[in-house]
């Protein structure tokens, strides 16, 4: 374990902390992008950040530093202890976990990769070249590139618990800005992997061109209500805006209405939602949470009924339950909660029934950071996609808004597909779901 | 923060490896945040970020790296790593003689060091207390203060050595209103490029009234009708429409890739003649103001559009090299972790001749967007979207019922031509802008505007 962890914990004890824990994150990254057939940017970075949480008389203080010298570590601890004098006591926040060291060397999240730089440069140039070569309507490939990074995370607390986790990831992405007369369209796609060879640049290129081509010919729909199926990345993007409502912290702080809904039907009976930290097909395997608690599977919605919230140790104490191992905390931040890999159970609706009649398939949603109100559940977003009739393309669709309410969305379902589909990032797995009667504003 | 001898050796090293240009961005950033939630001091965080960003250019190819260590051998290691793929015979040689070209005259504010936590807590408690008194439906209040004390030092191979000290203070507050199992919320967050003295000038009663009114109004509002209609977008944060619909498209970051619909439109009419727009980094104390930009150039006031005609783009050093558009002191970045890029500072549409009431009176049926949320744009196509935080229907020339869940979408070029009336009630407002060089403080502003036709998304 890193000596900075031990030094910081020693200082916390010497200077009067009752309890303390430390997170140290280190990372290296490389990124490349291309323009006009040449590498345009080449970025190499390394970073490190340490953060301490101290508790004295039930009061919590947090401080952090990017300087890991002994003097800075001491002054970081002093600062955190000073801040405890100004905050209110928090009887629920306590650092109590001890145990043997946890060293995560899971090959699913970290594998050695010796791909030479030349290969990475070649890939980056290829992502731009292929878009231009395959579609002469390409005006520009404004966003394309390759990135890789590895991170090492160390955790230690005053009770002797030590945790080490690491991960390495690779990513490539491309885009197409197509122009045909006055018509223009822009779309992009990416691919993730745990090694360079796991990347699928061909898939990113094909999907980019397919969706951009559809958007180039797309037009608005008449204003009205439509049945909608979201393409997986879009569904994840929208759904993820509201998953915080299942956090016990959001309930405790009065931001979520689910506090009084335990055991009640909040969604369609075919909807089951689980957080599976070690789901075999997922990208984000994680062993422990930010308090060092071993992560386990958790069901949030079981056949439409809310069966659990997700907790850290503080919210668990508040509600008188056991933590579910969903603590989150960065070196700079306070104790929070976070999910890992969400998986919905497959349903029973055959694909031809899902696609029957008129369906709006959405493959791009914009404005998610602003057009979503997590308190009320309302959302109103710019959207693009395809209008299908019995599975056959009628027209590409853009220049519309899609509006609804999350609490109604998860109830108003007419079919849940039989096959799980991963998102591009493999952090969310769901079957196709047909949502009924969403409001579209168009012409 | 970094001695000149070391900086010189590092830059000389880059030039000796064949680089055309090199610069160093040294940053020490102290952040203090105080959060109050459920009427309790929930969290106080204090910390220091320190790092050095190293940029090397071969032609217009940008090589960028950063490190947390100011040690000479580490900086040279990063430079050698960056230059390795492009290393060539040097075309320029040192030694460089640094000259101080620009530096801030601003003095550190003692308050910026967080010496009086009680003052911060008192203000947040007052906001909390006054907000809860506004309505029995207010079920939760959170308030936070954020202070950032950013010291920067720049060196480049043209001999520039510049320093600056930037202070930022922002007070953010959110109210949640509840009626049965229905909830709604509202946020208000004024900020300035000043020390704690900015917060001392804030009226907590105004913030409390504002967030409580918005949250309770929205809680009981009916869903907004969907369709195309005229819209009056009110002053202050309403300026996000220009920021999204046009501002991002005028940054050379987009223009250099032809990923802006305006890339070849300089000198052309791109907006209604009623529209004149500016990006101004010189407004004293404004949230997006700077003394010098993140490449060391003194900031300036840039006239972007004058009476509908495109006058200028916002350009940084690389943007200038690639497009020929003159630099405007617009190079900005979140921190040493990002290479600089051309970005907005305080961007606004200038006041017009009309009174606000005239805009409303000119509409039979439409939407009055009193306060705006955020939005985003696809610069390549100009397609934008942004949300309405507080909206009302306009019926027969008068403001009528509140509505919620409205989103405005369109394209920049079309919308700019449909702004037909500009009012005289100008104001700017603080926000955060995210783009290629990270999240930066930026103000948006405008007087109230009438857009003749825009697509409004709503749930009804």
């Amino acid at each position: 374990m890193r000596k900075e962890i031990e030094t910081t914990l020693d200082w916390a004890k010497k200077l009067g902390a009752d309890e303390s824990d430390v997170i140290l994150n280190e990372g290296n990254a490389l990124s490349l992008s291309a323009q006009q057939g040449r590498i345009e940017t080449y970025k190499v970075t390394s970073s490190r950040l340490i953060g301490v949480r101290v508790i004295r008389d039930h009061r919590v203080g947090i401080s952090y530093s990017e300087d890991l010298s002994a003097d800075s570590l001491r002054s970081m601890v002093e600062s955190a202890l000073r801040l405890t004098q100004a905050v209110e006591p928090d009887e629920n926040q306590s650092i109590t976990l001890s145990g043997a060291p946890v060293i995560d060397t899971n090959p699913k999240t970290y594998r050695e990769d010796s791909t030479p730089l030349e290969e990475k440069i070649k890939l980056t140039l290829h992502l731009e070249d292929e878009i231009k070569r395959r579609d002469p309507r390409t005006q520009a490939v404004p966003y394309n590139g390759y990135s890789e990074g590895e991170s090492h995370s160390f955790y230690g607390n005053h009770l002797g618990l030590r945790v080490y986790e690491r991960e390495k990831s690779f990513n490539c992405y491309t885009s197409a800005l197509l122009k045909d007369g006055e018509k223009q369209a822009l779309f992009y796609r990416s691919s993730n992997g745990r090694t360079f060879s796991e990347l699928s640049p061909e898939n990113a290129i094909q999907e980019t061109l397919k969706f951009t081509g559809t958007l180039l010919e797309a037009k608005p729909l008449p204003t009205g209500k439509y049945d909608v199926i979201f393409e997986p990345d879009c569904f994840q993007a929208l759904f993820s805006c509201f998953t915080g409502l299942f956090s016990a912290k959001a309930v405790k702080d009065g931001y979520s209405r689910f506090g009084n809904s335990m055991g009640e039907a909040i969604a369609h009976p075919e909807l089951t939602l689980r957080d599976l930290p070690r789901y075999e097909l997922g990208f984000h395997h994680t062993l422990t949470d930010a308090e060092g608690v071993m992560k386990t599977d958790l069901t949030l919605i079981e056949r439409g009924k809310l069966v659990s919230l997700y907790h850290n140790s503080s919210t668990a104490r508040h509600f008188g339950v056991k933590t579910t191992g969903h603590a989150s905390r960065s070196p700079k931040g306070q104790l929070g909660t976070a999910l890992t890999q969400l998986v919905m159970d497959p349903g029973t609706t055959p694909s031809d029934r899902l696609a029957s009649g008129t369906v709006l398939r959405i493959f791009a949603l914009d404005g998610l950071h602003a057009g979503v109100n997590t308190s009320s559940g309302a959302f109103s977003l710019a959207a693009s996609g395809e209008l299908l009739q019995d599975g056959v393309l009628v027209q590409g669709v853009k220049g519309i808004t899609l509006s609804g309410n999350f609490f109604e969305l998860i109830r108003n379902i007419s079919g849940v597909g039989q096959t799980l589909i991963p998102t591009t990032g493999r952090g969310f797995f769901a079957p196709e779901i047909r949502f009924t009667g969403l409001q579209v504003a168009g012409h | 923060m970094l001695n000149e001898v070391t900086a010189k050796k590092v830059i000389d090293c880059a030039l000796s490896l064949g680089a055309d240009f090199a610069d160093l961005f040294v940053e020490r950033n102290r952040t203090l945040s105080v959060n109050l939630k459920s009427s309790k001091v929930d969290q106080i965080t204090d910390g220091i970020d320190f790092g050095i960003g190293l940029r090397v250019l071969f032609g217009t190819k940008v090589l960028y790296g950063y490190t947390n260590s100011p040690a000479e051998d580490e900086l040279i290691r990063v430079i050698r790593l960056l230059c390795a793929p492009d290393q060539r015979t040097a075309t320029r040689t040192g030694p460089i003689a640094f000259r101080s070209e620009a530096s801030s005259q601003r003095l550190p504010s003692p308050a910026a060091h967080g010496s009086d936590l009680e003052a911060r807590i008192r203000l947040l408690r007052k906001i909390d207390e006054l907000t809860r008194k506004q309505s029995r439906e207010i079920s939760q209040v959170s308030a936070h203060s954020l202070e950032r004390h950013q010291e920067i030092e720049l060196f480049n191979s043209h001999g520039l050595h510049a320093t600056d000290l930037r202070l930022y203070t922002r007070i953010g507050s959110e109210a949640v209103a509840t009626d049965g199992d229905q909830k709604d919320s509202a946020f208000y967050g004024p900020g300035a490029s000043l020390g704690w003295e900015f917060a001392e000038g804030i009226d907590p009663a105004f913030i409390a009234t504002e967030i409580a009114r918005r949250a309770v109004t929205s809680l009981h509002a009916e869903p907004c009708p969907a369709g195309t209609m005229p819209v009056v977008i009110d002053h202050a944060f309403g300026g996000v429409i220009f920021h999204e619909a046009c501002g991002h498209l005028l940054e050379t970051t987009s223009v250099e890739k032809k990923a802006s619909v305006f890339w070849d439109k300089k000198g052309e009419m791109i907006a209604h003649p009623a529209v004149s727009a500016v990006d101004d980094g010189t407004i004293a104390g404004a949230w997006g103001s700077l003394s010098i930009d993140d490449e060391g150039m003194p900031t300036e006031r840039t006239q972007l559009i004058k009476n509908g005609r495109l006058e200028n783009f916002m350009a940084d050093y690389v943007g200038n090299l690639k497009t020929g558009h003159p630099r405007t002191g617009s190079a900005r970045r979140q921190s040493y972790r990002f290479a600089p890029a051309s970005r907005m500072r305080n961007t606004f549409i200038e006041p017009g001749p009309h009174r606000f009431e005239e805009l409303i009176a000119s509409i039979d049926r439409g939407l009055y967007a009193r306060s705006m949320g955020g939005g985003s744009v696809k610069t390549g196509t100009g397609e934008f979207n942004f949300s309405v935080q507080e909206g009302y229907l306009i019926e027969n020339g008068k403001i009528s019922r509140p509505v919620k869940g409205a989103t405005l979408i369109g394209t920049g070029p079309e919308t700019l031509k449909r702004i037909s009336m500009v009012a005289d009630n100008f104001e700017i407002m603080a926000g955060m802008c995210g783009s290629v060089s990270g999240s930066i403080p930026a103000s948006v502003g405008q007087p109230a505007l009438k857009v003749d036709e825009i697509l409004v998304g709503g749930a009804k």
Side-chain angles (χ1 to χ4, degrees):
Chain A
M1 189 55 67
R2 292 287 300 265
K3 69 176 188 312
E4 292 89 347
I5 298 267
E6 311 304 333
T7 306
T8 304
L9 290 169
D10 285 348
W11 276 121
K13 188 175 178 185
K14 278 182 201 159
L15 295 173
D18 300 327
E19 303 170 17
S20 58
D21 65 3
V22 183
I23 297 173
L24 169 59
N25 287 347
E26 287 185 330
N28 299 301
L30 162 73
S31 63
L32 302 163
S33 70
Q35 278 296 313
Q36 309 293 336
R38 293 189 306 170
I39 293 296
E40 181 195 42
T41 61
Y42 171 74
K43 188 171 176 181
V44 182
T45 61
S46 62
S47 60
R48 58 193 186 183
L49 176 65
I50 191 166
V52 65
R53 175 175 61 145
V54 296
I55 302 177
R56 182 161 63 185
D57 299 330
H58 300 291
R59 296 165 196 266
V60 179
I62 292 168
S63 186
Y64 62 89
S65 175
E66 289 186 329
D67 181 350
L68 270 51
S69 67
D71 285 350
S72 287
L73 297 180
R74 175 177 178 154
S75 102
M76 176 180 75
V77 173
E78 286 170 341
S79 172
L81 283 164
R82 193 168 53 249
L83 296 178
T84 61
Q85 296 164 20
V87 301
E88 317 272 347
D90 179 354
E91 302 289 341
N92 292 318
Q93 202 161 155
S94 185
I95 300 162
T96 59
L97 199 62
S98 59
V102 179
I103 310 290
D104 184 7
T105 53
N106 186 350
K108 281 196 81 72
T109 53
Y110 190 102
R111 271 171 275 166
E112 294 301 333
D113 189 290
S114 57
T115 307
L117 179 62
E118 291 72 25
E119 284 295 305
K120 296 164 186 172
I121 291 172
K122 202 169 141 189
L123 168 64
T124 308
L125 296 171
H126 176 76
L127 288 164
E128 187 195 29
D129 290 347
E130 280 302 292
I131 294 285
K132 288 181 171 173
R133 191 182 67 78
R134 294 187 197 185
D135 197 322
R137 297 171 298 179
T138 303
Q139 180 182 336
V141 185
Y143 313 108
N144 70 79
Y146 164 82
S147 65
E148 64 180 47
E150 70 175 81
S151 64
H152 301 261
S153 175
F154 305 85
Y155 172 88
N157 72 21
H158 70 289
L159 295 172
L161 179 66
R162 302 290 183 267
V163 179
Y164 165 67
E165 293 190 78
R166 63 183 182 176
E167 70 164 339
K168 187 178 274 198
S169 61
F170 298 76
N171 175 268
C172 69
Y173 58 97
T174 192
S175 64
L177 174 58
L178 301 186
K179 187 168 186 184
D180 187 2
E182 290 301 304
K183 293 182 289 188
Q184 279 191 316
L186 174 67
F187 196 80
Y188 72 92
R189 264 287 189 252
S190 64
S191 170
N192 286 1
R194 289 295 182 191
T195 60
F196 183 82
S197 61
E198 270 188 13
L199 294 175
S200 305
E202 180 57 28
N203 191 50
I205 291 165
Q206 281 185 19
E207 294 223 329
T208 294
L209 287 172
K210 182 179 86 175
F211 287 123
T212 318
T214 302
L215 288 177
L216 193 64
E217 304 301 328
K219 52 190 180 186
L221 288 174
T223 297
K225 292 195 181 293
Y226 292 82
D227 282 9
V228 168
I229 295 176
F230 294 95
E231 192 264 344
D233 287 16
C234 278
F235 185 42
Q236 179 192 26
L238 178 61
F239 199 84
S240 298
C241 292
F242 297 99
T243 50
L245 296 167
F246 298 96
S247 161
K249 190 169 191 308
V251 171
K252 172 176 163 276
D253 291 340
Y255 292 106
S256 170
R257 63 157 73 172
F258 285 148
N260 299 321
S261 306
M262 198 57 66
E264 292 181 9
I266 61 161
H268 187 273
E270 263 199 281
L271 203 72
T272 293
L273 175 69
R274 309 177 201 278
D275 185 51
L276 306 180
R278 285 190 281 282
Y279 185 59
E280 190 60 26
L281 301 174
F283 191 76
H284 303 286
H285 273 237
T286 317
L287 200 59
T288 66
D289 74 359
E291 296 181 294
V293 177
M294 297 298 282
K295 288 200 164 201
T296 53
D297 295 351
L298 176 71
T299 301
L300 297 163
I301 301 172
E302 179 88 58
R303 283 176 282 177
K305 286 185 180 168
L306 179 66
V307 294
S308 182
L309 302 171
Y310 57 96
H311 289 269
N312 58 33
S313 67
S314 173
T315 63
R317 265 181 220 104
H318 176 84
F319 287 105
V321 297
K322 280 179 70 176
T323 178
T324 58
H326 286 84
S328 68
R329 190 167 93 74
S330 76
K332 290 184 178 182
Q334 66 174 325
L335 188 65
T337 52
L339 293 164
T340 319
Q341 304 184 120
L342 284 176
V343 182
M344 285 184 175
D345 281 7
T348 57
T349 313
S351 55
D352 57 341
R353 253 186 56 209
L354 271 181
S356 67
T358 305
V359 174
L360 176 58
R361 182 178 286 273
I362 297 294
F363 57 71
L365 287 172
D366 295 307
L368 282 150
H369 66 295
V372 167
N373 184 328
T374 52
S375 301
S376 67
F379 60 87
S380 182
L381 303 161
S384 309
E386 300 167 325
L387 186 71
L388 303 159
Q389 183 68 36
D390 295 322
V392 178
L393 178 67
V394 176
Q395 67 166 87
V397 176
K398 69 175 177 183
I400 63 164
T401 64
L402 186 71
S403 302
N405 184 288
F406 175 73
F407 303 110
E408 293 165 14
L409 182 86
I410 57 176
R411 287 176 184 275
N412 298 334
I413 289 170
S414 65
V416 177
Q418 297 168 322
T419 309
L420 284 189
I421 307 171
T423 54
T424 306
R426 287 180 280 151
F428 186 89
F429 296 75
E432 285 195 328
I433 301 175
R434 179 164 170 162
F435 298 98
T436 58
L438 273 87
Q439 180 69 46
V440 166
H443 61 74
Chain B
M1 291 185 283
L2 184 70
N3 73 60
E4 277 196 18
V5 176
T6 301
K8 186 172 163 327
K9 283 184 181 170
V10 174
I11 289 174
D12 279 345
C13 175
L15 297 181
S16 73
L17 295 170
D20 295 307
F21 175 83
D23 66 3
L24 306 179
F25 179 83
V26 190
E27 180 188 22
R28 181 184 164 85
N29 189 47
R30 180 163 185 188
T31 305
L32 173 70
S33 73
V34 181
N35 285 277
L36 186 126
K37 191 186 287 175
S38 304
S39 305
K40 291 181 175 177
V41 179
D42 183 48
Q43 187 198 1
I44 303 176
T45 307
D46 187 9
I48 292 171
D49 301 284
F50 175 83
I52 300 173
L54 304 95
R55 181 172 61 160
V56 177
L57 298 188
F58 284 80
T60 57
K61 178 177 176 180
V62 178
L63 315 171
Y64 194 78
Y66 62 76
T67 174
N68 301 120
S69 169
E72 183 181 309
D73 54 353
E74 166 65 2
L75 295 171
I76 287 184
R77 183 191 71 80
V78 176
I79 286 286
R80 288 192 181 282
L81 190 63
L82 289 173
C83 292
D86 297 272
Q87 188 173 338
R88 63 188 180 192
T89 306
T91 54
R92 284 192 57 193
T93 53
I96 311 156
F98 288 121
R99 63 187 186 285
S100 290
E101 273 195 356
S103 67
S104 168
Q105 298 301 309
R106 195 175 289 155
L107 296 172
S109 156
H113 294 277
S115 54
D116 183 8
L117 278 174
E118 279 307 311
R120 280 98 179 132
I121 294 168
R122 262 198 313 276
L123 174 65
L124 302 182
R125 282 198 194 286
K126 197 69 186 170
I127 293 170
D128 175 83
E129 176 195 330
L130 292 174
T131 306
R132 290 176 189 277
K133 281 184 181 168
Q134 298 296 314
S135 166
R136 281 184 300 179
E137 290 181 320
I138 298 297
S139 58
Q140 178 61 293
V141 178
S142 66
H144 73 268
S145 67
L146 176 71
E147 291 160 81
R148 190 173 166 211
H149 179 167
Q150 184 196 32
E151 292 172 79
I152 63 161
E153 187 166 23
L154 287 145
F155 300 89
N156 76 22
S157 55
H158 294 162
L160 177 132
H161 176 202
T163 58
D164 197 11
L165 170 65
R166 299 158 177 176
L167 305 180
Y168 297 96
T169 301
R170 194 171 192 198
I171 305 298
S173 309
E174 184 185 40
V176 178
T178 302
D179 179 12
D181 66 352
Q182 300 296 311
K183 289 181 186 291
D184 222 311
S185 61
F187 172 82
Y188 186 70
S193 180
L194 294 168
W196 184 250
E197 66 272 19
F198 167 71
E200 288 170 342
I202 281 178
D203 178 5
F206 175 77
I207 293 180
T209 310
E210 193 69 10
I211 57 174
R213 179 181 56 74
R214 287 185 192 174
V216 172
T217 301
S218 186
L219 182 68
H220 298 293
E222 59 188 68
C224 184
T228 301
M229 61 187 83
V231 176
V232 171
I233 301 166
D234 211 346
H235 66 328
F237 204 70
V240 72
I241 184 174
F242 182 78
H243 177 100
E244 297 296 346
C246 189
H248 280 297
L249 283 58
L250 300 180
E251 297 163 339
T252 50
T253 310
S254 303
V255 172
E256 70 197 27
K257 299 174 185 168
K258 299 182 183 174
S260 162
V261 288
F262 296 132
W263 74 274
D264 57 350
K265 298 284 189 288
K266 188 169 178 179
E268 295 184 22
M269 291 294 289
I270 63 164
H272 191 283
V275 177
S276 291
V278 169
D279 182 66
D280 190 349
T282 68
I283 303 169
W287 179 240
S289 290
L290 303 163
S291 299
I292 54 172
D293 73 1
D294 287 340
E295 290 174 335
M297 179 180 175
T299 192
E300 63 174 42
R301 183 181 197 272
T302 310
Q303 186 82 45
L304 302 171
I305 299 171
K306 187 71 182 173
N307 300 329
R309 191 177 306 281
L310 176 56
E311 299 277 333
N312 286 296
F313 294 101
M314 291 164 276
D316 60 333
Y317 181 70
V318 174
N320 166 255
L321 288 180
K322 289 183 175 176
T323 66
H325 297 303
R327 288 172 70 190
T328 50
S330 304
R332 304 190 67 190
R333 53 179 129 196
Q334 179 179 322
S335 71
Y336 67 87
R337 291 189 173 88
F338 296 85
S342 56
R343 302 287 297 274
M344 286 175 271
R345 300 158 297 196
N346 306 298
T347 316
F348 52 86
I349 292 179
E350 295 180 288
H354 298 282
R355 287 184 302 112
F356 169 74
E357 294 76 16
E358 292 170 8
L359 275 59
I360 299 293
S362 71
I363 295 173
D364 286 336
R365 183 183 173 278
L367 178 70
Y368 165 45
R370 177 165 174 170
S371 65
M372 302 302 304
S376 62
V377 65
K378 290 179 185 169
T379 56
T381 59
E383 294 165 286
F384 69 82
N385 65 84
F386 56 105
S387 68
V388 178
Q389 201 179 69
E390 183 183 2
Y392 298 82
L393 292 179
I394 301 172
E395 292 171 312
N396 302 317
K398 291 187 176 149
I399 297 167
S400 63
R401 306 185 301 277
V403 290
K404 64 180 169 187
T407 296
L408 310 183
I409 71 164
T411 70
E414 284 174 6
T415 304
L416 281 171
K417 288 175 180 164
R418 289 175 182 159
I419 298 172
S420 60
M421 294 175 81
V422 181
D424 55 6
N425 57 345
F426 175 78
E427 192 180 330
I428 64 171
M429 192 74 197
M432 295 301 291
C433 172
S435 187
V436 287
S437 60
S439 178
I440 57 169
S443 297
V444 298
Q446 65 173 41
L449 306 174
K450 177 187 171 188
V451 184
D452 286 339
E453 186 180 280
I454 195 164
L455 181 59
V456 177
K460 194 166 137 189

